[in-house]
Amino acid sequence: MDNYHFLNSTRKDPLKASAEERINNFNEIYSNFNTETSVDQASRCIDCGVPYCKWSCPVVNHIPEWLKLIAKGEIIKAAELSNETNSLPEICGRVCPQDRLCEGACTLNSGYGAVSIGNIEKYISDTAFAQGWQPKKSSIWHKDKLVSIIGAGPAGLAAADFLTRSGIPVKVYDKYPEIGGLLTYGIPNFKLEKDIVLRRRKILENQGVEFILNTEIGNTIDFKEIEANSSAVFLGLGTYKALTGSLNIKQGTAVYMALEYLIDRINSIFHFGSAAHNEDKNAEIEIWQQSSIPSLKNKDVVILGGGDTAMDCCRTAIREGAKSVKCLYRRDFQNTPGSRREIENAIEEGVEFIWNTQVLDIYENNQGLSLKTVETELKKEFNSKRLMPVLKIGSEKILNADAVIIAYGFNPNPPQWLKENFIETDDSGRVLVSKKAENRLQTNNPKVFAGGDMVRGSDLVVTAIFEGRTAAESIKRYIM
Ligand SMILES: Cc1cc2nc3c(=O)[nH]c(=O)nc-3n(C[C@H](O)[C@H](O)[C@H](O)COP(=O)(O)OP(=O)(O)OC[C@H]3O[C@@H](n4cnc5c(N)ncnc54)[C@H](O)[C@@H]3O)c2cc1C
Ligand code: SF4
């Protein structure tokens, strides 16, 4: 292996559809690396001995090791290794903010261009699956055990994956008609095509995972019944209480919450769970009439917030044909919580950013909506790691819009039955879990484990996977 290959070959990113082309459909915007590019890019890894990339990955993927295998053309071995630590590598390769995680920590990032880890991760799984590879099934099956998993988001899927790999039967319940949680009903198709999640569903089912969908625990089935019939239970319910930033929102106005908007659009394109399930990803966006949120075509739309959810709303509204999309955020570009890559994509697609601006009020007028805004400046506060926005009195302005979408993030929404079943939460509603190595993620009710956003607060796909995997290890120790 040539350790100096990175001097001869620069970092390459996959081709990206032009902004003009991609705003006309919901397809993923990045193409895939071919074998030649993957081998070339993987060969740039200098195997530096201190793999910061690996340690910066929440699931501690064996990155240098699978890069080495790809450099040698060993695709199946690389897929097996990638699958060892991560239940959804083909999804992480697409949606992880690599610039803040593995690639941000890559030694070559200081001047030479980080190794394209995310795209190689995606190439490994996609190619191995296309060649017919499937993760190995467990040769033993503990028929006397059953783990019930509530929530088919990445946390629940990872728990299900790692438990069935050890031969432990699982049933995964979800209130939605399709698996994936926010992978399906949140993250738009242009970042993660839904076929990728559906392919993973088939793989998990083949591995022995049983999905019970359209079933809300606490409503369709009582939690006590699930608990009584299981050796252990894993909760991965996510966090869904949308924040409004103290804005007084009048019912019936064209002000929508981010997830309400995104789920409405995803459903109106794909009709998951209905007879009209639409598998044609090029289907034109005619379907808006069927959704409950009116079309934003030819409308002036304002999105509030600076995170990835806000970017997803902006870019969905652009694809829907909005006349203008403005994104208002109370900090500046350097201090957004969103991924740089996603903000740049949004700018290319025509989103206008208004930084350092906070909305004080939204009210209806004869023409539509008016937003009372005020400028902010960022100040360091004694007890905060982040720069805090301070309002500039006298800088108030009025901005008119036809529709407003609020993407201020989410708080936990613990169901009532948690308390009734001795599962404690902190004051903000996050489930309290053990941090001890021997029983990590066990709740106050010893039979119940929890992970993902409902424990951490809104976070990332890869951290939810990590917690699903960790809980599976604790559950195995508990039931075996
Ligand atoms: C719009 C948006 C875009 C995002 N983009 C990214 C991104 O690009 N990259 C990234 O890493 N992260 C992203 N995230 C964050 C990421 O999606 C979440 O951190 C992750 O999905 C959390 O996984 P989870 O399994 O904890 O919960 P979820 O994915 O929320 O899944 C929870 C599941 O539990 C089910 N459920 C809840 N209550 C019940 C019940 N009582 N009975 C049955 N089922 C129930 C829900 O239906 C849901 O399917 C994004 C989030 C949003 C909102
Ligand atoms: S899972 Fe995410 S952080 Fe880890 S190697 Fe893959 S892309 Fe990087």
Side-chain angles (χ1 to χ4, degrees):
M1 204 168 143
D2 171 14
N3 266 359
Y4 296 98
H5 185 65
F6 71 96
L7 292 174
N8 305 322
S9 177
T10 51
R11 175 191 162 97
K12 288 189 190 71
D13 288 300
L15 290 176
K16 181 161 71 165
S18 70
E20 295 74 34
E21 188 189 335
R22 65 189 194 239
I23 61 172
N24 293 313
N25 60 58
F26 275 81
N27 301 347
E28 279 184 15
I29 70 169
Y30 295 102
S31 63
N32 300 326
F33 273 172
N34 60 23
T35 300
E36 194 189 339
T37 313
S38 301
V39 170
D40 170 62
Q41 292 295 297
S43 306
R44 294 184 68 245
C45 173
I46 54 175
D47 196 11
C48 41
V50 187
Y52 292 113
C53 57
K54 182 170 179 167
W55 297 342
S56 305
C57 167
V59 291
V60 198
N61 271 336
H62 303 304
I63 301 168
E65 291 83 358
W66 42 251
L67 289 174
K68 225 184 269 175
L69 288 169
I70 288 303
K72 289 195 276 180
E74 304 256 27
I75 184 74
I76 301 301
K77 282 188 185 159
E80 275 163 3
L81 195 57
S82 164
N83 192 62
E84 234 175 62
T85 46
N86 193 345
S87 300
L88 309 169
E90 73 283 16
I91 292 174
C92 288
R94 288 170 162 85
V95 304
C96 267
Q98 287 97 4
D99 49 349
R100 286 197 269 136
L101 300 171
C102 50
E103 294 181 11
C106 171
T107 308
L108 293 185
N109 197 31
S110 53
Y112 295 98
V115 177
S116 316
I117 298 168
N119 284 297
I120 295 172
E121 186 179 34
K122 169 176 138 181
Y123 161 83
I124 293 172
S125 291
D126 285 353
T127 314
F129 288 143
Q131 291 181 7
W133 174 79
Q134 296 259 326
K136 282 196 190 85
K137 275 173 142 175
S138 171
S139 53
I140 41 161
W141 203 243
H142 301 279
K143 285 191 187 140
D144 56 329
K145 311 276 180 216
L146 172 68
V147 177
S148 293
I149 295 177
I150 308 177
L157 295 181
D161 177 32
F162 280 97
L163 286 164
T164 47
R165 284 188 205 188
S166 301
I168 297 169
V170 301
K171 286 187 180 175
V172 183
Y173 296 86
D174 203 290
K175 62 182 178 188
Y176 285 141
E178 190 47 77
I179 73 156
L182 290 170
L183 303 176
T184 303
Y185 299 98
I187 301 179
N189 221 49
F190 49 80
K191 275 164 62 182
L192 172 64
E193 287 182 2
K194 304 304 164 203
D195 297 0
I196 306 294
V197 184
L198 297 179
R199 181 176 66 188
R200 183 50 78 166
R201 175 176 172 177
K202 287 201 181 110
I203 289 164
L204 288 169
E205 283 174 336
N206 186 42
Q207 207 170 296
V209 176
E210 186 184 345
F211 290 108
I212 301 166
L213 303 174
N214 285 312
T215 304
E216 184 172 4
I217 306 310
N219 191 6
T220 329
I221 306 181
D222 198 60
F223 177 78
K224 283 202 191 321
E225 191 184 325
I226 300 271
E227 191 191 13
N229 296 327
S230 314
S231 321
V233 180
F234 175 76
L235 306 178
L237 306 185
T239 173
Y240 283 91
K241 187 172 162 198
L243 298 173
T244 58
S246 314
L247 289 170
N248 184 14
I249 299 150
K250 264 212 200 137
Q251 284 280 321
T253 56
V255 181
Y256 310 107
M257 303 312 290
L259 212 48
E260 170 197 17
Y261 169 65
L262 291 173
I263 294 177
D264 186 85
R265 286 346 189 202
I266 286 167
N267 278 333
S268 62
I269 302 172
F270 298 102
H271 300 286
F272 281 125
S274 78
H277 181 153
N278 189 350
E279 283 185 351
D280 176 7
K281 59 185 181 177
N282 289 316
E284 236 318 301
I285 318 167
E286 295 296 321
I287 16 217
W288 302 125
Q289 305 84 299
Q290 297 171 20
S291 69
S292 58
I293 296 182
S295 168
L296 299 183
K297 196 167 183 175
N298 299 323
K299 298 273 166 66
D300 291 313
V301 181
V302 173
I303 315 280
L304 309 182
D308 286 341
T309 304
M311 296 316 118
D312 290 345
C313 292
C314 288
R315 299 173 65 200
T316 300
I318 289 274
R319 279 160 178 74
E320 207 185 322
K323 183 159 82 179
S324 73
V325 178
K326 293 188 175 70
C327 183
L328 266 61
Y329 183 55
R330 61 191 185 140
R331 294 187 174 86
D332 56 17
F333 175 69
Q334 281 72 29
N335 291 285
T336 60
S339 142
R340 302 283 166 278
R341 179 180 64 187
E342 297 308 315
I343 295 173
E344 279 157 19
N345 284 334
I347 292 172
E348 285 172 14
E349 290 169 11
V351 177
E352 183 192 335
F353 283 83
I354 306 181
W355 303 110
N356 289 313
T357 300
Q358 186 159 332
V359 175
L360 300 175
D361 195 11
I362 306 176
Y363 51 91
E364 262 186 312
N365 60 27
N366 293 340
Q367 279 88 44
L369 295 165
S370 289
L371 292 85
K372 185 176 177 193
T373 67
V374 63
E375 286 175 31
T376 60
E377 55 189 333
L378 297 181
K379 296 238 163 98
K380 179 109 197 76
E381 274 192 6
F382 173 64
N383 54 358
S384 171
K385 277 196 206 147
R386 295 185 74 191
L387 290 175
M388 295 308 288
V390 177
L391 306 189
K392 286 195 337 205
I393 305 301
S395 65
E396 292 83 354
K397 285 191 195 104
I398 298 296
L399 177 68
N400 292 320
D402 297 312
V404 174
I405 297 170
I406 302 181
Y408 281 160
F410 306 92
N411 263 347
N413 55 328
Q416 182 59 31
W417 49 260
L418 291 189
K419 219 188 229 168
E420 292 161 8
N421 291 283
F422 314 106
I423 302 158
E424 280 181 28
T425 61
D426 67 12
D427 291 343
S428 72
R430 285 183 302 190
V431 173
L432 289 169
V433 288
S434 164
K435 294 191 172 79
K436 290 187 205 143
E438 66 273 18
N439 66 340
R440 264 185 94 174
L441 301 176
Q442 190 170 32
T443 68
N444 275 55
N445 176 337
K447 208 173 180 183
V448 181
F449 298 74
D453 281 2
M454 76 177 309
V455 167
R456 311 171 64 88
S458 290
D459 203 5
L460 294 173
V461 171
V462 67
T463 49
I465 293 170
F466 170 71
E467 296 212 325
R469 185 182 87 187
T470 308
E473 282 156 16
S474 296
I475 291 172
K476 270 191 276 171
R477 271 193 294 275
Y478 174 74
I479 64 174
M480 294 309 231

